[in-house]
């Protein structure tokens, strides 16, 4: 009867050990950020970003569990663990493919949802509530950092607050930028003419290719993992 390939067995073990370590690092860092007030202040993370941190915790947990199953399944030659590893990896691959297909099919709805979110934020720029003022302060930092003004319609998005909060230099260009193509003259001062909504959309489009590349690379790794785990599973069964 055929034996188990030592090369495949230990390659599977080393790969999944590194996979497991990466999962532990992601899980540990994300949990630390989630529970540590000092970390949240140091990294400037507020409650609005907790959803992203929670997602990292979930991803780290899944990677850790799959890495453990693959690692132990390979070194102990456990068909049960290898089968669980195979099923878990297959489900993740199916979810990735489903997410990509849905993203392509519902792209127009996603764009509509993004525009709706931007419109809601425009209302916050024109509001005078305490919560809106917190957002306005953060958004002014975003404007200065990205050389933009407003979200959809430039300074008009600020409404009456453009003059009422004029002491905060809303949308105002730095002196060295005033002669550049970044600025325009509006109501007695030079302001950035590009809406921040365009900056956000450009950022998403520029990073879409990177995300697609990462997803494709992960899919290739997952397919290789599926092949190795099933091959090792069959070898153990025949032993």
């Amino acid at each position: 009867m055929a034996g188990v390939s030592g090369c495949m067995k230990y390659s599977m073990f080393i790969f999944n050990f590194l996979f497991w370590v990466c999962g532990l690092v992601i899980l540990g860092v994300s949990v630390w950020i989630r529970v540590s007030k000092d970390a949240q202040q140091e990294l400037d993370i507020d409650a609005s970003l907790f959803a992203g941190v929670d997602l990292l915790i979930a991803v780290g947990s899944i990677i850790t569990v799959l890495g453990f199953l693959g690692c132990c399944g390979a070194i102990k030659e456990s068909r049960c663990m290898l089968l669980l590893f195979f099923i878990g990896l297959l489900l993740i691959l199916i979810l990735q493919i489903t997410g990509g297909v849905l993203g392509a099919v519902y792209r127009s709805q996603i764009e509509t949802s993004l525009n709706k979110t931007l419109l809601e934020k425009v209302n916050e720029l024109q509001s005078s509530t305490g919560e809106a003022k917190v957002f306005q302060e953060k958004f002014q930092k975003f404007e200065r950092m990205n050389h933009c003004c407003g979200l959809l319609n430039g300074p008009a998005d600020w409404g009456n607050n453009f003059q009422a909060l004029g002491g905060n230099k809303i949308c105002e260009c730095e002196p060295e930028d005033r002669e550049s193509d970044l600025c325009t003259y509006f109501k007695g001062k030079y302001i950035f003419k590009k809406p921040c909504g365009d900056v956000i959309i450009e950022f998403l489009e520029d990073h879409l290719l990177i995300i697609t590349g990462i997803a494709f690379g992960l899919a290739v790794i997952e397919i290789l993992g599926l092949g190795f785990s099933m091959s090792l599973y069959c070898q153990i069964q025949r032993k």
Side-chain angles (χ1 to χ4, degrees):
M1 299 175 73
V4 176
S5 168
C7 179
M8 182 176 291
K9 174 180 174 178
Y10 289 106
S11 295
M12 183 86 174
F13 171 78
I14 293 170
F15 170 77
N16 280 287
F17 179 76
L18 295 174
F19 199 53
W20 177 72
V21 170
C22 289
L24 283 179
V25 171
I26 294 172
L27 181 60
V29 171
S30 53
V31 168
W32 172 66
I33 292 173
R34 189 67 172 84
V35 301
S36 171
K37 298 293 183 183
D38 294 334
Q40 292 167 16
Q41 291 174 358
E42 186 176 341
L43 299 173
D44 194 24
I45 293 175
D46 57 23
S48 63
L49 298 177
F50 281 168
V53 177
D54 292 340
L55 179 61
L56 281 177
I57 292 174
V59 169
S61 301
I62 292 169
I63 291 175
T64 301
V65 171
L66 284 178
F68 173 79
L69 289 172
C71 210
C72 292
I75 204 66
K76 289 181 175 295
E77 299 183 11
S78 170
R79 288 193 300 155
C80 179
M81 285 185 170
L82 286 172
L83 186 60
L84 288 173
F85 173 81
F86 179 88
I87 293 171
L89 211 55
L90 182 61
L91 288 174
I92 291 174
L93 182 61
I94 291 171
L95 286 174
Q96 278 181 229
I97 294 172
T98 304
V101 171
L102 290 176
V105 171
Y106 294 102
R107 181 173 179 177
S108 60
Q109 286 91 327
I110 293 171
E111 291 175 352
T112 302
S113 178
L114 176 60
N115 288 329
K116 183 180 178 181
T117 301
L118 292 176
L119 188 59
E120 289 173 357
K121 292 302 179 182
V122 167
N123 294 332
E124 285 193 44
L125 290 179
Q126 298 176 4
S127 177
S128 59
T129 64
E131 185 178 341
K133 287 180 179 177
V134 172
F135 170 73
Q136 290 163 13
E137 289 177 6
K138 292 182 178 179
F139 186 70
Q140 285 180 66
K141 293 179 183 178
F142 181 86
E143 287 179 324
R144 288 191 291 271
M145 187 183 303
N146 293 279
H147 296 170
C148 58
C149 180
L151 275 168
L152 299 173
N153 305 300
D157 290 340
W158 283 92
N160 295 330
N161 283 338
F162 186 80
Q163 296 294 339
L165 303 175
N168 292 332
K169 299 183 178 180
I170 293 175
C171 299
E172 191 168 347
C173 288
E174 297 295 333
E176 61 269 21
D177 294 326
R178 289 178 181 174
E179 301 303 320
S180 69
D181 193 45
L182 295 172
C183 305
T184 186
Y185 196 72
F186 181 79
K187 291 189 177 180
K189 63 180 181 180
Y190 286 94
I191 63 168
F192 296 116
K193 63 182 181 181
K194 189 173 189 177
C196 293
D198 291 351
V199 173
I200 294 170
I201 291 171
E202 285 174 10
F203 176 84
L204 294 174
E205 289 177 346
D206 290 343
H207 286 74
L208 184 61
L209 184 61
I210 297 174
I211 294 170
T212 304
I214 292 172
F216 180 77
L218 286 173
V220 171
I221 293 171
E222 287 161 3
I223 291 169
L224 288 174
L226 289 171
F228 275 113
S229 60
M230 185 49 63
S231 178
L232 193 57
Y233 176 90
C234 291
Q235 286 183 20
I236 294 169
Q237 190 176 33
R238 289 195 301 263
K239 187 174 70 169

